[in-house]
Amino acid sequence: MSVKALKGFKDILPGEVETWQRIEQTARDIFQRFGFNEIKVPILEKTTLFKRSIGEATDIVEKEMYTFADRNGASLTMRPEGTAPVLRAYVEHGLQVKKPVQRLYTIGPMFRHERPQKGRLRQFHQLSAEVLGSGLAMLDAEVMAMAALVLRELGLTVSLEINSLGCRKCRPGFNQALVDFLAQHADKLCNDCERRRQTNPLRVLDCKNEHCREQYKNSPSILEHLCKDCREHFTEVRKNLDLLNIDYKVNSFMVRGLDYYCRTTFELLTDNLGAQSAVGAGGRYDGLVKQLGGPDVPGIGFALGLERLALLMEHQGLSSPESKADIFIAALGEEALNRAFILVHALRNAGLAATMDHQGRSLKNQMKQAGRMGASFTLIMGEEELSRNKVILRDMASREQQDLELSTDLSSWAADLKKIINQNPS
Ligand code: HAM
């Protein structure tokens, strides 16, 4: 029996990967415009890193991490998200010294043992961006504008929801109000909320259970419990979003699934992916860098989910086509095969995506193959043509053919052929 991929772990096949490349390329380009530098961080980290940052009483840490003991007995975890590893690297390498405000992004796989469904995987990929070193509300608006621009340049329409979760000063007051409210409704809560009521009350607002959600409609609002500084910060964020013409909606129920957030949080949402409506999310995490042993610098960031973006692109008819060959060489006979072998190399050197059949199949089969590969042109090298030092160039779309004279100077011959192909792209 053949071995299959793990549940929730997906292969990204040719034909799908091109859309992924486009998303990554667009994001890299925009991140660079906003002054971000790429950082690559390991997939495996010490478990304590995530416990200390994401929070012990979160779903991710409680039940979703891929954690195991390595051969020396150390507890390691496959990163469930990118912020903690990037901050760990920032602290470890003292990156604040080089630039007072560091803008870093990373792209790669993350791992969460969730129940797989459309848009929710156990290995998924994030484009994750962090700004470390400034608490200015302008930056909150700027990172949201950057995320929105990635989506816009991909041709996607999503909505932005924002909230403020307050800070260490005002959050306890809200927590208490929420705990009091939950105590009054304890008999109507689902088991998860009943547990969260004790361990991490804020999390209840994230509950997907309809009955719970109904109760929480009348729960206290965090926005009414913000301290003066947090209130002013949130007002500034909204003002700055308006200045940049970014549409948003305030959603005071948005609490996010990670404990490190303070003040601004946000989500980019779509109606087109069923239950998995967030294509991206983020927020401010002032205090986290210090908590991880670094300087006391504020930070803000977000992550976009590549799988969800790719699904959305597909849903909106924006998938990129599978990459194609410019030219396919159909060689007939042994001598042609040998000459094609050298020719295809010259064409690739000249910058063309060139390919050939090595199996000596019939012309009909080779033409079929060229068609299946979506080649724009075919170069037919038959024995008869070669004896006259010629080859036939066929435009696969118009079916027009022309004879081309071969030359001993293969590199300039290939460069000329490239010009012909570029003038007549199919
Ligand atoms: P998050 O909300 O857990 O935030 O994830 C961000 C995005 O990753 C989600 O909006 C979604 O698109 C994608 N995502 C999450 N889990 C899955 C999954 N199981 N399958 C497919 N896609 C998924 C964070 O991870 C934070 N580190 C974001 C951040 C960066 N905050 C500040 N800086």
Side-chain angles (χ1 to χ4, degrees):
M1 207 169 64
S2 65
V3 180
K4 299 260 167 53
L6 295 171
K7 195 172 159 198
F9 288 66
K10 204 170 158 290
D11 301 309
I12 315 300
L13 302 178
E16 297 172 318
V17 90
E18 290 76 7
T19 305
W20 281 59
Q21 287 167 346
R22 168 132 184 267
I23 297 169
E24 279 193 36
Q25 199 42 54
T26 305
R28 281 177 194 283
D29 179 45
I30 291 171
F31 291 173
Q32 203 199 341
R33 276 185 247 163
F34 279 74
F36 281 69
N37 289 104
E38 184 170 5
I39 180 168
K40 290 182 188 286
V41 286
I43 282 169
L44 215 50
E45 297 274 1
K46 290 182 186 158
T47 304
T48 50
L49 174 68
F50 301 111
K51 285 193 175 167
R52 272 166 67 180
S53 52
I54 298 171
E56 301 251 11
T58 55
D59 280 357
I60 297 182
V61 171
E62 272 179 355
K63 45 188 186 193
E64 293 172 1
M65 292 203 307
Y66 281 87
T67 296
F68 56 91
D70 77 355
R71 290 174 189 277
N72 302 325
S75 179
L76 305 181
T77 293
M78 313 259 288
R79 60 183 190 194
E81 58 107 47
T83 309
V86 168
L87 266 54
R88 197 248 332 118
Y90 172 85
V91 172
E92 191 165 333
H93 302 283
L95 296 185
Q96 77 282 1
V97 177
K98 212 167 148 202
K99 283 186 195 166
V101 179
Q102 271 284 357
R103 293 163 177 249
L104 302 166
Y105 78 89
T106 195
I107 303 179
M110 310 292 159
F111 304 84
R112 295 183 195 173
H113 196 278
E114 295 191 78
R115 200 164 40 79
Q117 55 174 254
K118 187 180 170 193
R120 189 162 74 193
L121 289 119
R122 291 182 171 169
Q123 174 179 307
F124 59 98
H125 297 73
Q126 285 185 343
L127 296 149
S128 159
E130 318 293 345
V131 181
L132 300 160
S134 172
L136 280 182
M138 266 185 191
L139 275 174
D140 302 41
E142 197 178 309
V143 296
M144 287 187 246
M146 180 168 87
L149 188 59
V150 174
L151 293 155
R152 205 185 76 199
E153 290 205 3
L154 287 171
L156 299 175
T157 319
V158 296
S159 54
L160 171 66
E161 292 192 358
I162 65 170
N163 192 20
S164 173
L165 293 182
C167 65
R168 230 172 287 147
K169 255 196 296 172
C170 51
R171 180 99 52 88
F174 171 69
N175 256 341
Q176 192 52 54
L178 190 59
V179 167
D180 294 345
F181 171 86
L182 293 173
Q184 287 162 24
H185 296 79
D187 53 330
K188 298 177 206 119
L189 304 180
C190 73
N191 291 342
D192 263 353
C193 283
E194 180 48 29
R195 192 173 47 82
R196 287 182 193 130
R197 187 165 79 88
Q198 326 275 346
T199 57
N200 197 346
L202 204 64
R203 280 284 88 71
V204 302
L205 299 180
D206 218 13
C207 185
K208 304 284 178 278
N209 183 305
E210 279 305 318
H211 296 292
C212 295
R213 289 178 92 90
E214 199 53 40
Q215 311 288 326
Y216 303 149
K217 277 189 182 154
N218 303 316
S219 66
S221 161
I222 180 115
L223 295 177
E224 280 156 23
H225 285 79
L226 296 181
C227 62
K228 185 167 166 288
D229 287 350
C230 287
R231 216 171 34 242
E232 282 173 10
H233 191 270
F234 196 48
T235 306
E236 278 292 299
V237 171
R238 282 181 289 173
K239 198 178 90 195
N240 287 316
L241 283 171
D242 292 338
L243 286 174
L244 300 182
N245 274 328
I246 309 285
D247 286 336
Y248 63 88
K249 198 179 110 190
V250 175
N251 173 3
S252 63
F253 287 96
M254 187 210 300
V255 288
R256 310 279 301 114
L258 306 100
D259 275 354
Y260 51 60
Y261 291 113
C262 67
R263 294 196 164 169
T264 318
T265 53
F266 60 96
E267 287 185 348
L268 294 150
L269 301 163
T270 172
D271 293 333
N272 297 325
L273 292 181
Q276 306 312 312
S277 56
V279 291
R284 185 161 274 294
Y285 43 78
D286 304 350
L288 181 58
V289 177
K290 184 158 179 246
Q291 201 179 312
L292 293 175
D296 191 6
V297 294
I300 181 163
F302 68 87
L304 298 171
L306 261 158
E307 281 76 5
R308 294 189 191 169
L309 287 177
L311 275 174
L312 210 52
M313 301 277 287
E314 191 189 315
H315 181 270
Q316 301 197 2
L318 295 167
S319 299
S320 303
E322 189 168 331
S323 54
K324 294 179 189 165
D326 296 318
I327 187 159
F328 181 90
I329 302 185
L332 301 164
E334 200 167 325
E335 197 210 329
L337 200 64
N338 288 335
R339 290 182 72 173
F341 175 67
I342 302 166
L343 204 71
V344 80
H345 187 63
L347 293 172
R348 287 169 181 163
N349 273 341
L352 287 169
T355 187
M356 66 179 281
D357 171 72
H358 291 275
Q359 285 156 331
R361 283 189 276 189
S362 69
L363 179 62
K364 195 172 148 207
N365 279 336
Q366 293 196 50
M367 293 307 281
K368 263 197 206 157
Q369 192 184 338
R372 266 200 305 270
M373 295 175 85
S376 309
F377 288 83
T378 306
L379 200 65
I380 302 164
M381 298 177 73
E383 276 169 359
E384 196 267 325
E385 289 86 15
L386 278 182
S387 68
R388 291 185 286 121
N389 208 31
K390 290 211 158 106
V391 289
I392 302 169
L393 181 68
R394 179 181 170 90
D395 183 325
M396 296 295 280
S398 68
R399 298 181 183 181
E400 275 169 30
Q401 299 197 163
Q402 57 178 300
D403 280 0
L404 296 179
E405 183 102 29
L406 278 170
S407 149
T408 45
D409 181 357
L410 269 188
S411 52
S412 57
W413 187 85
D416 288 344
L417 183 55
K418 187 180 173 191
K419 277 186 213 143
I420 298 177
I421 288 182
N422 286 344
Q423 274 161 16
N424 305 285
S426 291

